[in-house]
Amino acid sequence: MPAPDATALDWTGRLSDPALEREYQRETFDQNTRRFTQVSLSASAVSMLGYAVHDALLLPPSMLREALLIRLAVFGPVGAALVALTFTRAYARAQQYVGLAFGLSCNATVVAIATLAPPALHVLYASYAVLFTTLGPFIARLGVRAQLAFTALAVALYAVAAQGFMAQEPRVWGAILGTTVALGSFGAIVAREQEAQARVRFLQGREVQEKTAALAAERALSERLLLNVLPARVAVRLKAEERPIADGYGDVTVVFADVVGFTAMSARLEPAEVVRRLDAFFTACDALAREHGLEKIKTIGDAYMAVGGLDERSRDGHPRRVVAFALGLLGAVEDFNRDLHEDLAVRVGVHTGPVVAGVIGTSKFAYDVWGDTVNTASRMESHGVVGAVQVSEATWLRARDDFAFEPRGEIDVKGKGVMRAYLLRRG
């Protein structure tokens, strides 16, 4: 069997799903029903009391005193008490009962005064009772059940009054009762339509909220993914459709780190375990990069590349911070080996100089840096010493006051010729 539709409406116009109906009641009662009925019941009570002028104009003096007592001394306190209930917390649960009681009190007042009036006025006062029966959904926001109960009780009230107190022919009060039933039923139809339309609007608003929330979640996910690929300042420019995105930096520090022994390790492990371990190590690298204010550029196989000095907030002291990052990598490898009983090492190269940075591609785009500084840092790594950090003379000059280095002397660097290099001392 197909699952029931939680958004379906029953014969009264209410939601078939009880939980969804309760949600509707919670979300819409205070902001719609309570405010409306406070105003409409208050205005109706004042109008009912104001009709004392009507009584004074139509009723004989001998009957006026009792009519005024019924309207002012009986209905007045009852109407005031029912209006007062609309301002209480209990009104949320008793709204239909309060509306029904208010409507019946209006009808009872009019019918009671009609019993005092001359026969010529009976039909006039009865028409007021019929009018109140019709107005239940409009004034008190009665639902279908309450409106049908209102109609039935109003018919019973008038039938008793017509037979016992009013000198009307059966065909007259029969016509009035028929009109009451017809108009009360019309009120029930109106009530059903009001209930249904209100809940349809609620469901539409709920759907809009859900779609808006889903779009916001998708946007946040896209934002996180974009920030995971690009620096925040670059992501902003990309979203603004700036093309091309390219910047020159006259002074940054580039670091390359290559995991030595990873290829041999991966040959004896399952693919999933290889990826898990590489991910664990690079996650540690990412944490170190954030700690030292570096911009991770990319991973190339089991090699890691980052740059210090691209962000304006982190341009000061970038050689020192990159060297501190490289020193942290040596410790991260030791932790990795201890936890997984492996024997890996890293070879790290660092160089300081100018670069060009930008975004390339439109599909699987990437933020990258280029220039001789990048090539030199890569050569510092590839011509370096396993388990050590090798820096160029340019970096050494900027970081020697903060770290201890030992000269490696001049080395022949592919594509660069002879260069001076220094190894970072640990401890």
Side-chain angles (χ1 to χ4, degrees), residues 44-398:
S44 298
V46 171
S47 298
M48 275 291 294
L49 296 175
Y51 260 74
V53 176
H54 171 277
D55 297 335
L57 293 174
L58 294 182
L59 297 179
S62 59
M63 302 176 181
L64 181 59
R65 182 174 178 277
E66 292 183 33
L68 293 178
L69 285 174
I70 293 172
R71 191 178 291 277
L72 302 178
V74 177
F75 173 79
V78 172
L82 292 173
V83 169
L85 282 174
T86 66
F87 293 87
T88 66
R89 297 181 62 181
Y91 185 57
R93 297 187 300 274
Q95 182 258 327
Q96 292 291 296
Y97 301 105
V98 171
L100 178 58
F102 185 87
L104 287 174
S105 66
C106 291
N107 274 22
T109 298
V110 172
V111 170
I113 294 175
T115 61
L116 302 173
L121 297 177
H122 288 177
V123 174
L124 176 63
Y125 277 95
S127 66
Y128 297 153
V130 173
L131 178 63
F132 282 123
T133 304
T134 309
L135 293 179
F138 300 97
I139 295 177
R141 280 289 189 262
L142 294 184
V144 176
R145 291 186 178 90
Q147 176 63 20
L148 291 176
F150 185 15
T151 302
L153 292 172
V155 167
L157 176 67
Y158 186 77
V160 170
Q163 288 189 331
F165 306 101
M166 298 181 185
Q168 291 290 346
E169 295 182 11
R171 61 186 181 85
V172 175
W173 60 260
I176 295 174
L177 292 180
T179 303
T180 304
V181 170
L183 293 181
S185 299
F186 169 75
I189 294 172
V190 170
R192 202 276 176 189
E193 189 63 20
Q194 287 183 164
E195 296 280 290
Q197 288 183 359
R199 283 158 179 81
V200 168
R201 288 192 296 271
F202 163 73
L203 293 174
Q204 290 173 341
R206 193 168 178 264
E207 184 179 3
V208 169
Q209 291 176 350
E210 290 174 352
K211 288 183 177 179
T212 301
L215 286 174
E218 288 292 333
R219 191 179 300 111
L221 176 60
S222 299
E223 186 79 12
R224 288 196 300 272
L225 291 174
L226 192 61
L227 292 176
N228 198 41
V229 174
L230 302 174
R233 64 189 184 283
V234 176
V236 170
R237 295 164 65 185
L238 186 67
K239 289 190 294 183
E241 299 184 355
E242 180 181 338
R243 290 292 190 280
I245 296 177
D247 299 295
Y249 296 89
D251 186 51
V252 301
T253 300
V254 180
V255 56
F256 277 89
D258 185 49
V259 182
V260 180
F262 196 88
T263 301
M265 183 187 72
S266 64
R268 57 182 170 80
L269 295 175
E270 293 294 326
E273 181 62 17
V274 172
V275 173
R276 188 185 72 81
R277 294 190 178 192
L278 191 61
D279 177 69
F281 178 71
F282 282 159
T283 298
C285 295
D286 291 343
L288 281 170
R290 287 193 299 271
E291 178 184 345
H292 295 288
L294 308 188
E295 192 73 62
K296 173 187 175 181
I297 301 301
K298 59 187 172 183
T299 59
I300 311 164
D302 54 10
Y304 189 93
M305 177 187 177
V307 179
L310 292 176
D311 190 340
E312 290 183 1
R313 294 171 298 178
S314 63
R315 286 180 185 170
D316 293 337
H318 54 82
R320 173 183 53 79
R321 288 186 288 100
V322 171
V323 172
F325 165 79
L327 186 61
L329 286 182
L330 301 182
V333 170
E334 291 176 355
D335 294 339
F336 181 91
N337 289 334
R338 184 177 59 253
D339 294 341
L340 297 175
H341 308 290
E342 292 291 348
D343 189 25
L344 301 182
V346 289
R347 187 173 55 237
V348 184
V350 182
H351 179 58
T352 300
V355 297
V356 173
V359 176
I360 55 174
T362 55
S363 176
K364 296 185 180 180
F365 50 79
Y367 182 73
D368 209 343
V369 293
W370 305 273
D372 185 65
T373 298
V374 176
N375 296 333
T376 302
S378 177
R379 295 291 185 266
M380 286 292 107
E381 177 271 312
S382 61
H383 290 69
V385 178
V386 175
V389 178
Q390 179 167 268
V391 305
S392 67
E393 186 173 22
T395 302
W396 171 76
L397 288 171
R398 305 276 290 277

Side-chain angles (χ1 to χ4, degrees), residues 32-41 137-141:
N32 293 322
T33 305
R34 182 187 295 273
R35 295 174 186 175
F36 177 86
T37 52
Q38 283 173 346
V39 173
S40 63
L41 293 188
F138 300 97
I139 295 177
R141 280 289 189 262

